[in-house]
Amino acid sequence: MKTILKSENIKKKYGKESVVDGISLDIYENTFTVICGPSGSGKSTLLNILSGLIRPTAGKVWYEDKVISDYSEPQLADWKRLEVGNVFQSYMLLNNLTVEENIKISIAPGKTPLSFDRLTRMLEIDSILDKFPAQLSGGQQQRVAIARAVIKAPRLLFCDEATGALDEANSKKVVELLHSLKSAFGVTILFTTHNAQIAETADRVLTIKNGMLHKDVMNENPISAKDMVWG
Amino acid sequence: MVLVYKQLTKQMIQNRIFVLLLLVLTMLTSLSFYFVIFSIDGNMAMLNTLTTLTENQQLYKNALNANASLAYTFFISTVLLTSFVFVMYFYRFYRANKKQIGCLKSLGFKDSSVCACFVVFVAVLSLIGAILGLIGGYFLSDVLIHANADTYSVIGLVKKIRLSSLFIGLLVSTAIFCLLTFFCYSFVRGKEPGILIAGNESRAGFSFSLRVANRICDMIPTKNKLTLRIALRKPLSIFLLIVAVMSFSVCMILGRSLNISSQKVFDSQTTGHNYEYDTRYSEFQTVPTPENVIPYLDNKVRLFVDGHVIEQSATGLYTLNNLYELQNTKGDILSVPKVGEVYINPGLHEIYGLNIGDRFVADIAGVSHEVTVADIAVNAKSANIYVNADELSKALNVPIGAYNGVLSMEKLNDGVATTKDQRINTLNKEAVSNNISAVINQCIGGLIGAILIFLALYASFGDNTRDMLILHMMGYRTKHIRKMVIDVYMPIVWTVFFLTLAPSILLARSIQKSLSISTNDYMPFGTSISVIVLVFAGLSIIYWLVQMLFGLGIRRIVAKEEISEFIYAE
């Protein structure tokens, strides 16, 4: 498997408190990797460092053969714009733009986006394109957020507790969609969650504890998202 | 309850810039009032005790009356503007903190208790502001007192204030702001804690305002519609910008117009007034006058125009020559008015709307006469109308040819003469007084307008913080974010400026007209391209200042990695 993203002994400290403490790992292309761990374990901070949202205090993050942790602010912005999609628990949609505009604002210049119609149909949001975020349910908002993250055909998709605010049915739908997107568009997905069932659908599960990589398990027989049983 | 006060006070002062500006505005409200009132109250009381006033004292008293009227007009305007900012502050505060308020209500605190915290906070804030303004006004009033002493050559001027004035400046404004705070609480009053905590009670209203803004967006042909849509779909921000830009324009145009009016009045009282002496007689004279003089009849007259009773002087002219060349608006030299006709001064035309051909009733010596406006004399003496002398002498029951005033180049032996120098000196004194008022208005108006525009832009940019951070997370560069979310306000400010320019001029004109009526002192309205350029430049400077401050703020948030805090705070 080809490594697309790599961290090398990355650390993150807030004052004296160490949140991420020397994590080294490789993320393989076109895989669905779940990062799990208890609250405060540092999984979201790790995800944010890998996605370039925050910089590590020490260590390096590689994207293929480039050290993105050393990138200047504009370089990092360009990398995020072209190669990365983010999905958050709280959706983070622009309230004053319609669904269609929220998705299209993410399209990077000079890069061929995915088919808008195909994507919106696939995410079942093609009938709400003229609506504003405040008019949508949580599940709909999250699917719009996924569409926004994916439309630009990113190579990496980072999902931070993307189902944390959703009910069972919507959560299942989102996980299913992410797997479909992985298969359809070859996206590499990193997904933080507390949910053990979602972890069972992943190709690989990383467990973080006290800011350190506690377990790294390749899932030989991932279950289908449809077969997830909510506890 | 102490803890509730502590919690809410901390929440309120979290937006330090807004709270600081509110304090500055409450201070300016009382400063603009006390600055003038300290120079008026004591001296007006002293003048009122005098049975007879010298010419200078009378001029000084007129100036004090005009200044008092301006002070109250300005006080009301600044209270209104500050009230607007208070409403803006609380609207934003309740929108941002409804979860916290819902939480307090869920703990069992009543609306009345929570509302009382806000009222007490505002009472303390505005009282501090008012006291600071009182202190500042006390010291600053020295400037006005010295200027008045120099201008009117009056001595023994004092700095005093009446109890009622003290009460108005300190307590009336505070009471108004507290009352406003009480009413502003209706943004959250009566709402269930659960709804406030969920924060989704206004979905229908939200989508309606967005729908309206969306329609407007669709009508605007623009290359980069998306950027404009982000801005235009915040109707409150746009509304605030319109109010702020218009207030700033009105304050600046009005201040400058008051300044220009002094010069206009001076010009109108000197152009065509070529005589050296204006001699007045206490009794009507029938002795023939020398050649090359202009004898005239002068008498008080009351005009009845559209429900207004206006006190003026009627000047009956027997002849006109190069000593006094009455001119109309086209610059034509006017001849003696015909029987039944009058020439009016520009004040009657501009303030009361009298035009050529209009008829109105003039009460001369208790008898009503219906007269027709034959022309507008731009260089008429202030508060004068010109009538046919034969007609006026009949009305006054004096022989035709009688006079009680003479304009001449040579000094006459009898009567009380006012020389040209004296006349110009008096005009200069009045101009200085008007200029002082204009400068006060311009400075305070400009400052308050600037604060308002600063707040409106600051609020608009603040509303966009979330959008900016989301765009940053999506990989937009800082300069692109700035272009999309901040720079778009510049053309909006300019567009609002140009769209509201005409209404602002009309509003400033009508305010000045009201001032003229209330002070019974004609202040001609005037503006120019340079004033408009000045307002435009002022707006642009304030815009750049806020833009710079906000740009730094965003960079700080991004640099400090507050993004992750922001993500989890949502």
Side-chain angles (χ1 to χ4, degrees):
Chain A
M1 279 190 284
K2 188 187 166 194
T3 297
I4 186 168
L5 195 68
K6 190 169 121 179
S7 76
E8 198 178 278
N9 196 27
I10 52 169
K11 293 179 180 179
K12 184 68 186 176
K13 281 187 174 181
Y14 288 109
K16 284 181 182 172
E17 193 191 351
S18 195
V19 185
V20 173
D21 194 7
I23 293 181
S24 298
L25 52 84
D26 286 51
I27 302 294
Y28 306 116
E29 194 170 32
N30 197 23
T31 54
F32 189 113
T33 304
V34 158
I35 304 173
C36 58
S39 297
S41 59
K43 58 185 185 298
S44 289
T45 307
L46 172 66
L47 194 83
N48 288 339
I49 292 171
L50 294 175
S51 65
L53 287 182
I54 54 176
R55 288 179 188 274
T57 313
K60 283 180 177 174
V61 180
W62 296 74
Y63 171 69
E64 294 183 326
D65 57 345
K66 290 163 214 111
V67 183
I68 57 159
S69 50
D70 288 348
Y71 271 5
S72 66
E73 205 53 55
Q75 280 178 312
L76 198 60
D78 288 345
W79 177 70
K80 284 190 282 186
R81 188 88 198 272
L82 292 167
E83 309 292 358
V84 177
N86 278 294
V87 181
F88 304 99
Q89 182 179 351
S90 52
Y91 325 128
M92 296 283 172
L93 297 176
L94 295 160
N95 292 332
N96 299 304
L97 295 186
T98 60
V99 166
E100 184 175 349
E101 290 164 347
N102 256 294
I103 298 168
K104 285 186 173 171
I105 200 169
S106 176
I107 295 172
K111 191 178 175 189
T112 312
L114 300 183
S115 159
F116 179 82
D117 293 338
R118 186 183 164 200
L119 184 66
T120 51
R121 263 199 314 272
M122 193 172 169
L123 291 164
E124 294 173 29
I125 50 172
D126 51 332
S127 59
I128 52 165
L129 295 177
D130 59 342
K131 299 260 191 270
F132 289 97
Q135 295 172 295
L136 308 179
S137 69
Q140 286 174 321
Q141 288 192 58
Q142 194 59 298
R143 277 181 276 142
V144 174
I146 292 170
R148 183 181 66 180
V150 174
I151 185 80
K152 60 181 165 185
R155 294 190 65 198
L156 289 158
L157 181 62
F158 295 91
C159 306
D160 191 9
E161 305 275 6
T163 56
L166 303 179
D167 60 15
E168 180 182 344
N170 275 303
S171 296
K172 275 187 173 179
K173 204 170 199 170
V174 164
V175 177
E176 264 183 71
L177 279 168
L178 290 173
H179 279 286
S180 314
L181 290 168
K182 187 198 111 185
S183 311
F185 304 114
V187 189
T188 305
I189 300 171
L190 274 92
F191 194 110
T192 65
T193 183
H194 288 103
N195 191 308
Q197 279 294 305
I198 296 174
E200 284 193 37
T201 70
D203 302 313
R204 184 182 176 197
V205 180
L206 304 170
T207 309
I208 308 294
K209 215 171 176 183
N210 298 325
M212 287 183 281
L213 186 60
H214 183 63
K215 271 186 198 169
D216 182 353
V217 179
M218 293 300 288
N219 198 350
E220 297 299 329
N221 296 304
I223 62 164
S224 158
K226 282 180 188 160
D227 298 333
M228 284 192 295
V229 181
W230 239 244
Chain B
M1 200 60 204
V2 176
L3 290 174
V4 176
Y5 273 84
K6 192 178 166 186
Q7 159 69 13
L8 290 177
T9 306
K10 275 190 173 176
Q11 255 177 282
M12 276 186 277
I13 57 174
Q14 233 167 26
N15 196 339
R16 285 187 201 92
I17 292 184
F18 234 114
V19 173
L20 189 72
L21 285 175
L22 278 172
L23 182 70
V24 171
L25 278 173
T26 52
M27 192 193 77
L28 280 177
T29 302
S30 88
L31 178 80
S32 64
F33 180 69
Y34 288 123
F35 166 48
V36 185
I37 290 296
F38 265 117
S39 71
I40 295 175
D41 278 0
N43 298 308
M44 187 61 101
M46 193 174 67
L47 288 172
N48 284 338
T49 59
L50 303 175
T51 45
T52 52
L53 299 175
T54 65
E55 193 189 349
N56 274 352
Q57 284 170 333
Q58 186 57 54
L59 282 172
Y60 178 48
K61 193 176 175 182
N62 293 345
L64 288 185
N65 276 326
N67 280 350
S69 182
L70 275 177
Y72 280 99
T73 308
F74 231 82
F75 179 67
I76 293 165
S77 310
T78 49
V79 165
L80 286 175
L81 283 178
T82 310
S83 301
F84 172 72
V85 180
F86 265 110
V87 174
M88 199 164 118
Y89 170 76
F90 277 112
Y91 175 79
R92 289 169 56 78
F93 178 83
Y94 290 129
R95 203 177 52 171
N97 293 286
K98 53 186 160 194
K99 287 189 181 190
Q100 296 287 317
I101 292 165
C103 178
L104 287 175
K105 285 168 89 168
S106 72
L107 291 171
F109 291 100
K110 287 180 189 162
D111 271 331
S112 53
S113 312
V114 180
C115 180
C117 293
F118 295 116
V119 174
V120 169
F121 176 81
V122 169
V124 172
L125 182 90
S126 50
L127 259 181
I128 293 171
I131 290 167
L132 288 174
L134 174 77
I135 296 165
Y138 178 81
F139 290 108
L140 271 179
S141 62
D142 276 339
V143 179
L144 264 186
I145 290 172
H146 286 308
N148 283 334
D150 290 346
T151 309
Y152 299 101
S153 310
V154 281
I155 50 164
L157 298 188
V158 292
K159 194 194 288 188
K160 266 187 187 169
I161 191 163
R162 282 182 302 163
L163 200 62
S164 60
S165 303
L166 190 73
F167 174 80
I168 289 168
L170 274 183
L171 299 181
V172 169
S173 55
T174 302
I176 290 171
F177 299 145
C178 287
L179 203 65
L180 202 72
T181 307
F182 176 80
F183 286 120
C184 279
Y185 189 74
S186 56
F187 289 131
V188 287
R189 182 178 285 117
K191 290 196 172 136
E192 289 167 347
I195 286 173
L196 288 173
I197 290 167
N200 60 354
E201 88 286 5
S202 61
R203 184 176 286 192
F206 180 66
S207 79
F208 173 74
S209 65
L210 273 182
R211 264 204 303 274
V212 173
N214 203 25
R215 285 274 164 85
I216 299 168
C217 287
D218 288 341
M219 287 190 293
I220 297 168
T222 170
K223 216 169 125 188
N224 196 354
K225 246 181 179 175
L226 203 67
T227 305
L228 206 60
R229 280 181 184 187
I230 294 175
L232 284 181
R233 280 182 190 155
K234 293 184 167 118
L236 182 77
S237 302
I238 299 299
F239 173 72
L240 288 180
L241 266 182
I242 293 171
V243 172
V245 169
M246 210 169 153
S247 306
F248 182 74
S249 302
V250 169
C251 288
M252 296 296 283
I253 292 168
L254 185 62
R256 193 73 196 114
S257 170
L258 287 171
N259 212 258
I260 293 169
S261 81
S262 309
Q263 188 57 45
K264 270 192 159 182
V265 168
F266 185 88
D267 290 346
S268 74
Q269 298 303 299
T270 49
T271 308
H273 294 250
N274 306 321
Y275 48 90
E276 282 294 328
Y277 296 93
D278 182 358
T279 309
R280 301 297 305 269
Y281 301 91
S282 53
E283 302 290 331
F284 291 109
Q285 307 291 307
T286 50
V287 183
T289 53
E291 283 193 10
N292 285 332
V293 300
I294 299 178
Y296 63 88
L297 264 177
D298 183 81
N299 202 71
K300 293 279 173 220
V301 64
R302 285 196 304 164
L303 315 181
F304 300 89
V305 181
D306 284 342
H308 295 281
V309 181
I310 312 156
E311 301 280 346
Q312 299 259 302
S313 287
T315 301
L317 296 165
Y318 291 104
T319 180
L320 278 168
N321 55 35
N322 58 356
L323 282 184
Y324 188 19
E325 293 167 321
L326 265 183
Q327 294 173 7
N328 66 11
T329 47
K330 293 174 195 159
D332 299 333
I333 306 291
L334 299 170
S335 53
V336 171
K338 292 175 189 156
V339 173
E341 291 184 346
V342 292
Y343 298 148
I344 59 168
N345 59 66
L348 290 173
H349 166 63
E350 282 183 28
I351 301 170
Y352 300 100
L354 277 177
N355 282 303
I356 296 170
D358 288 351
R359 295 177 69 79
F360 65 90
V361 173
D363 182 336
I364 306 168
V367 181
S368 294
H369 298 262
E370 197 173 46
V371 288
T372 306
V373 178
D375 219 325
I376 299 158
V378 289
N379 59 339
K381 285 185 188 174
S382 57
N384 256 246
I385 60 166
Y386 295 87
V387 296
N388 183 283
D390 291 351
E391 192 181 15
L392 185 59
S393 56
K394 273 185 206 165
L396 294 173
N397 206 18
V398 295
I400 290 175
Y403 57 91
N404 58 356
V406 175
L407 306 175
S408 62
M409 290 304 283
E410 306 294 331
K411 190 172 184 338
L412 303 178
N413 291 331
D414 44 5
V416 180
T418 306
T419 65
K420 193 174 189 174
D421 288 344
Q422 285 171 324
R423 207 156 38 86
I424 288 174
N425 201 20
T426 305
L427 286 170
N428 277 330
K429 282 177 183 172
E430 284 172 351
V432 169
S433 161
N434 286 340
N435 277 335
I436 291 169
S437 304
V439 169
I440 297 167
N441 284 326
Q442 215 171 343
C443 290
I444 295 176
L447 192 60
I448 288 174
I451 289 173
L452 261 187
I453 191 104
F454 179 90
L455 277 176
L457 282 173
Y458 183 79
S460 303
F461 290 173
D463 282 345
N464 285 332
T465 306
R466 181 181 177 277
D467 292 354
M468 289 181 202
L469 288 169
I470 292 173
L471 290 170
H472 174 78
M473 287 189 288
M474 284 163 62
Y476 276 87
R477 285 188 184 192
T478 315
K479 68 174 183 186
H480 289 136
I481 298 173
R482 194 177 141 142
K483 208 170 160 188
M484 285 178 81
V485 191
I486 295 183
D487 289 357
V488 69
Y489 281 96
M490 178 61 116
I492 291 176
V493 167
W494 287 348
T495 307
V496 168
F497 168 72
F498 286 113
L499 287 178
T500 59
L501 185 60
S504 299
I505 292 172
L506 289 175
L507 189 60
R509 192 185 182 130
S510 65
I511 291 172
Q512 193 161 327
K513 192 172 154 182
S514 312
L515 278 173
S516 288
I517 293 172
S518 65
T519 57
N520 201 22
D521 179 19
Y522 170 52
M523 291 178 259
F525 179 79
T527 191
S528 63
I529 292 290
S530 63
V531 178
I532 290 158
V533 171
L534 182 77
V535 178
F536 185 73
L539 276 176
S540 302
I541 290 167
I542 298 165
Y543 178 85
W544 280 319
L545 190 73
V546 185
Q547 190 193 43
M548 197 175 69
L549 280 176
F550 210 79
L552 289 174
I554 280 293
R555 229 167 281 149
R556 183 181 55 81
I557 292 168
V558 172
K560 276 192 166 182
E561 293 180 0
E562 286 172 16
I563 284 174
S564 47
E565 284 174 33
F566 164 72
I567 296 167
Y568 303 120
E570 283 269 308

